Amino acid sequence: MSGITKELANKIAHFARFPQTGVSLRQMVEFGQNPSQGTLLRAAQFLHDELPIRLAHRVVELDSLPDNLNQMPSVLRVKRMYIDSFNELINFPKVSERIREAVREATVQGSTQRKHLSGNSQNPSLVDHSAGSTGNGGRSMATHWIPSIQHRYHYEVKPTELPVEVSEYNRSFVKTLEKIKRRHDPVVTTLAQGVVEYKQLLKTKIIDHHVQHFLDRFYLSRIGIRMLIGQQIELNQPQQHKDYVGVICTHTKISDVVQEAIDNARFICGDYYMLMNTPEIELHCPSDLEFMYVPSHLHHMIFELLKNSLRAVVELYGDEADKYPPIKVVVAEGNEDITIKVSDEGGGIPRSAMEQVWTYMYTTAQTPMLDPEFDKSDFKAPLAGFGYGLPLSRLYARYFGGDLKLISMEGYGTDAYLHLSRLSDNEEPLA
């Protein structure tokens, strides 16, 4: 591992041998309801242990990528970000013995008093992603045992008066997390640029399945890291939004989130093609349908699907058409899933190209080159030209136990089915 000291390289290798600990959406909500400063400290301790493990897994994998992909300038930039964040976390001060003892005394003892977190179900996408694992960071390769999530993530701490150092420690740790989060904002686009550099080196237009599986694992891990960091930051804010536990909304009103995505997608489409009449989007959704989810994730996925449908319809009928066939969004409520179907009449996708739509860098738009100092997050970056919309949306769906599937009729249109788990008990698909 070049560019760092041998001591730091050994620490990264050591942490990468520990297994990662998955957390479900329901567990995050159960833990985060009305947390005391002592409970937040317990969560900080969990993240202080867990985040270096997750970062180390990714550094090791980035370092061992084949065919000189690990030597691409943009890939090296991403690896540097992860190394810097790992180093910052392992050097962050440990909780003092005085604070530790005070919190220990306030911790609810005994199985009759303590409120246990719900158990997890295995994420269905774990089977899919483990198939492409190289072993770096995979669960089967872990050589160190770590106590279960029940022992590590949640300790109920009574709201007794604790030393002022507890809240000071929490604030200090949150500032470190905010810095790390900002550092990693450009990871998606920077790594995408690294793959562009790799394709140019090999003089190829496609990436092989090994790189595809690596990107799936890497971006899923990034979603999880940012979810844990974002949740901890929000739980430490003095004012919590109504119906929110951190970044999770316990009563996410689907019709409102989807309607906002519709408005945003139609605006973007009309602006890009300079349309007088943007295609209509019909929403069929029970107005009172709610469930527990992260609204920003849901908006991101729906927005990407609608953007693709709008583009297909406009480019099939032309930007001077008097009228376009409407795009339809239908939301159905089941016992296990809430399913959102987005249907368009944009000409469909050839059967031979269906697998390619899930491939990173597959796009009919021109791939942009990013400035080396580009630092926008994945939600604001120009990803249209990178072909990342569908693959990333599927990862967001799979992160909490859902999925995204396409069925297309060439010559007519495409139906996208977004499945979202209502049970919220799927653990993160960590690999």
Side-chain angles (χ1 to χ4, degrees), residues 64-211:
S64 58
L65 290 173
D67 301 326
N68 287 320
L69 177 55
N70 61 348
Q71 296 303 313
M72 295 301 101
S74 296
V75 174
L76 291 173
R77 279 186 66 205
V78 171
K79 188 173 76 169
R80 186 76 251 177
M81 294 176 201
Y82 275 69
I83 290 172
D84 289 345
S85 297
F86 172 87
N87 197 32
E88 200 164 345
L89 283 166
I90 63 172
N91 287 306
F92 189 84
K94 295 284 186 182
V95 178
S96 70
E97 186 55 39
R98 177 171 178 266
I99 296 176
R100 196 188 303 272
E101 184 58 34
V103 173
R104 188 182 296 121
E105 290 177 1
T107 300
V108 174
Q109 303 293 333
S111 58
T112 56
Q113 290 181 288
R114 185 179 298 172
K115 181 179 70 176
H116 290 275
L117 289 182
S118 301
N120 282 348
S121 297
Q122 185 180 29
N123 193 303
S125 63
L126 278 173
V127 177
D128 298 337
H129 293 288
S130 61
S133 177
T134 61
N136 294 324
R139 292 182 169 196
S140 60
M141 299 298 290
T143 58
H144 290 63
W145 178 83
I146 287 184
S148 71
I149 188 69
Q150 302 290 348
H151 296 94
R152 297 213 305 136
Y153 183 55
H154 180 69
Y155 285 85
E156 193 173 357
V157 181
K158 290 175 286 189
T160 55
E161 190 168 333
L162 293 168
V164 68
E165 290 93 335
V166 173
S167 57
E168 289 175 351
Y169 186 93
N170 286 336
R171 282 195 295 271
S172 178
F173 189 65
V174 164
K175 285 182 180 178
T176 298
L177 293 181
E178 289 172 337
K179 181 180 177 182
I180 290 171
K181 192 168 184 282
R182 285 193 300 271
R183 176 186 293 132
H184 288 247
D185 275 347
V187 161
V188 171
T189 45
T190 306
L191 191 57
Q193 184 62 51
V195 177
V196 171
E197 295 161 0
Y198 173 70
K199 287 168 63 180
Q200 291 173 342
L201 177 71
L202 297 185
K203 296 181 172 57
T204 181
K205 292 185 178 181
I206 60 172
I207 59 174
D208 63 31
H209 70 280
H210 294 297
V211 176

Side-chain angles (χ1 to χ4, degrees), residues 221-259:
S221 172
R222 181 178 188 270
I223 292 170
I225 289 170
R226 289 180 78 81
M227 183 70 199
L228 290 179
I229 289 176
Q231 186 72 357
Q232 184 72 6
I233 291 171
E234 285 301 315
L235 287 177
N236 276 272
Q237 299 307 310
Q239 295 295 326
Q240 291 289 316
H241 297 291
K242 184 178 180 292
D243 295 330
Y244 273 79
V245 178
V247 297
I248 303 164
C249 182
T250 55
H251 299 284
T252 302
K253 197 168 184 181
I254 297 178
S255 59
D256 289 351
V257 178
V258 174
Q259 187 59 56

Side-chain angles (χ1 to χ4, degrees), residues 155-388:
Y155 285 85
E156 193 173 357
V157 181
K158 290 175 286 189
T160 55
E161 190 168 333
L162 293 168
V164 68
E165 290 93 335
V166 173
S167 57
E168 289 175 351
Y169 186 93
N170 286 336
R171 282 195 295 271
S172 178
F173 189 65
V174 164
K175 285 182 180 178
T176 298
L177 293 181
E178 289 172 337
K179 181 180 177 182
I180 290 171
K181 192 168 184 282
R182 285 193 300 271
R183 176 186 293 132
H184 288 247
D185 275 347
V187 161
V188 171
T189 45
T190 306
L191 191 57
Q193 184 62 51
V195 177
V196 171
E197 295 161 0
Y198 173 70
K199 287 168 63 180
Q200 291 173 342
L201 177 71
L202 297 185
K203 296 181 172 57
T204 181
K205 292 185 178 181
I206 60 172
I207 59 174
D208 63 31
H209 70 280
H210 294 297
V211 176
Q212 176 76 14
H213 287 311
F214 154 69
L215 292 172
D216 275 346
R217 288 193 304 277
F218 187 89
Y219 288 136
L220 261 176
S221 172
R222 181 178 188 270
I223 292 170
I225 289 170
R226 289 180 78 81
M227 183 70 199
L228 290 179
I229 289 176
Q231 186 72 357
Q232 184 72 6
I233 291 171
E234 285 301 315
L235 287 177
N236 276 272
Q237 299 307 310
Q239 295 295 326
Q240 291 289 316
H241 297 291
K242 184 178 180 292
D243 295 330
Y244 273 79
V245 178
V247 297
I248 303 164
C249 182
T250 55
H251 299 284
T252 302
K253 197 168 184 181
I254 297 178
S255 59
D256 289 351
V257 178
V258 174
Q259 187 59 56
E260 183 182 0
I262 288 172
D263 295 340
N264 290 344
R266 291 188 74 235
F267 176 82
I268 294 281
C269 177
D271 184 61
Y272 182 82
Y273 291 104
M274 294 183 288
L275 300 176
M276 294 295 293
N277 298 308
T278 306
E280 293 294 330
I281 301 177
E282 300 174 359
L283 174 59
H284 303 275
C285 175
S287 58
D288 59 347
L289 182 55
E290 299 176 342
F291 80 136
M292 184 164 61
Y293 210 70
V294 183
S296 61
H297 286 197
L298 179 58
H299 180 279
H300 178 73
M301 293 182 286
I302 298 297
F303 176 77
E304 286 296 334
L305 294 176
L306 292 174
K307 192 172 65 173
N308 287 345
S309 290
L310 285 165
R311 181 181 173 197
V313 169
V314 171
E315 295 194 354
L316 179 64
Y317 289 86
D319 54 14
E320 295 183 358
D322 294 328
K323 191 175 182 181
Y324 299 97
I327 294 163
K328 297 178 181 178
V329 181
V330 179
V331 183
E333 179 183 14
N335 291 326
E336 293 184 6
D337 286 351
I338 287 174
T339 304
I340 303 175
K341 180 175 75 167
V342 178
S343 303
D344 67 58
E345 298 176 31
I349 304 166
R351 194 155 52 93
S352 61
M354 282 301 291
E355 281 303 310
Q356 289 177 290
V357 300
W358 302 112
T359 303
Y360 297 93
M361 316 307 292
Y362 174 77
T363 177
T364 56
Q366 183 177 358
T367 301
M369 293 295 288
L370 291 182
D371 185 280
E373 300 306 315
F374 184 84
D375 64 352
K376 298 296 186 292
S377 73
D378 50 325
F379 286 99
K380 299 174 183 175
L383 292 185
F386 282 118
Y388 268 47

